[in-house]
Amino acid sequence: MSKNGKVWTALVTVYIIWGSTYLGIAYAGETIAPLFAASTRFITAGALMSALVLVVRRGTLRMGRPELLSCVVIGILLPGANSVLFFAERDVPTGLASLIIASVPLWVMVERLAIGRERLPWPVLAGVGVGFAGVAVLAQPSGGAKAWGIALCVLSALMWSTGSFLSSRLPMPEDAFSATAVEMLAGGFVMLPISLFTLHGFSPSTTSVLAWIYLVTFGSIVGYTAYVWLLANAPLGLVSTYAYVNPVVAITLGVLFRGEDLTWRLLIGAAIVVVAVATVVRREPPVTAHAEEAVR
């Protein structure tokens, strides 16, 4: 296969896998307690990622105390954000949830302005303003969505953006895979003791178990590996397109597999958010891989 063919294969893989994780979360959370599903997902994915680092990549998980503490802090935030999404998707359609989570790059820009005291180009600032207008359009209880579920989606986006913001400022291991493995393990083990108290009559369906396996293997391992490869082999502007293609994939899958409604409010809000996020990430593309991309 040509280099261009490999790039597009990896890009489509990221589009489909990360766009489908919202559907996977919805199915997994149907009969598995959300916190237990999230904690065990990241413990398992972290263990698999560790094996990938040690056996396949011939790397190491050794790191200094500052790097380890950073991984623990970010590990609590990122898998924690994903566990919140497990709860939210019980009362919010997957397409709507994906659009609110798509606002993460907008929140990161706000944190860079407010906390980092950075000066950002005016197109980015305009994109942030327009994007939050789209979120405001979406954040209206309708189409089966409940207010508290929408609030949890916003909380998840905030936790996700904070983890992303901190990961670019705290001392981190040089190898993205090593950092991601430790972060997933840390977040999973912090949540696990609490999640055990939420198990009542544990009897997961086959669909939920298969969805959980899909999230572990494809959502965390395959999708992240393809993403890291893309960062090293494709233009950043092209790689960043996943940020606004994923919600489109999620909405499509929600309509096809869960019978979710396409309302005018959702379509208008989606158009506003996708255009705004496209504006922001094309001006400020990712330059390194962070663990927030492995917890989708």
Side-chain angles (χ1 to χ4, degrees):
M1 185 183 295
S2 66
K3 176 68 175 294
N4 192 51
K6 291 179 180 179
V7 167
W8 278 102
T9 298
L11 192 61
V12 171
T13 298
V14 171
Y15 286 166
I16 295 175
I17 289 179
W18 282 349
S20 65
T21 54
Y22 297 94
L23 185 66
I25 288 172
Y27 280 131
E30 284 182 345
T31 59
I32 304 177
L35 201 57
F36 184 74
S39 62
T40 54
R41 172 196 174 182
F42 290 117
I43 290 173
T44 307
L48 291 174
M49 188 74 77
S50 298
L52 179 65
V53 170
L54 297 173
V55 178
V56 179
R57 295 171 59 86
R58 305 289 185 180
T60 179
L61 294 176
R62 292 182 180 178
M63 58 189 70
R65 182 175 296 179
E67 289 80 8
L68 178 60
L69 289 175
S70 297
C71 287
V72 171
V73 170
I74 296 170
I76 292 172
L77 283 169
L78 297 180
N82 191 270
S83 68
V84 171
L85 194 58
F86 267 88
F87 283 100
E89 285 199 24
R90 288 187 162 186
D91 292 288
V92 175
T94 58
L96 176 57
S98 71
L99 286 168
I100 295 177
I101 298 301
S103 69
V104 165
L106 308 180
W107 289 107
V108 171
M109 294 303 152
V110 171
E111 290 167 350
R112 287 173 58 179
L113 280 169
I115 302 174
R117 303 295 182 182
E118 295 184 40
R119 291 187 176 183
L120 300 175
W122 72 263
V124 171
L125 296 176
V128 171
V130 171
F132 281 124
V135 173
V137 171
L138 294 169
Q140 305 290 329
S142 63
K146 296 181 180 178
W148 81 274
I150 293 174
L152 286 178
C153 286
V154 174
L155 174 61
S156 178
L158 277 169
M159 293 174 67
W160 225 314
S161 65
T162 302
S164 177
F165 176 79
L166 291 177
S167 66
S168 63
R169 283 160 175 76
L170 295 177
M172 298 294 294
E174 291 185 5
D175 183 63
F177 281 93
S178 299
T180 301
V182 174
E183 288 165 3
M184 289 196 291
L185 287 171
F189 278 116
V190 166
M191 290 188 290
L192 183 61
I194 305 172
S195 73
L196 295 178
F197 291 99
T198 67
L199 293 179
H200 304 290
F202 184 65
S203 182
S205 67
T206 301
T207 299
S208 291
V209 171
L210 290 175
W212 181 91
I213 293 173
Y214 178 82
L215 290 172
V216 169
T217 55
F218 285 88
S220 291
I221 307 298
V222 177
Y224 187 68
T225 302
Y227 173 70
V228 172
W229 185 88
L230 280 169
L231 285 178
N233 292 275
L236 291 178
L238 181 63
V239 178
S240 67
T241 58
Y242 82 89
Y244 44 94
V245 173
N246 288 164
V248 177
V249 174
I251 291 172
T252 303
L253 293 177
V255 171
L256 292 177
F257 292 96
R258 294 183 68 83
E260 296 176 0
D261 295 328
L262 279 178
T263 64
W264 280 109
R265 176 178 291 167
L266 179 67
L267 291 173
I268 293 172
I272 296 173
V273 170
V274 168
V275 170
V277 171
T279 301
V280 170
V281 299
R282 279 195 170 276
R283 296 284 304 200
E284 300 284 332
V287 293
T288 57
H290 298 301
E292 68 268 17
E293 309 304 345
V295 301
R296 294 183 176 277

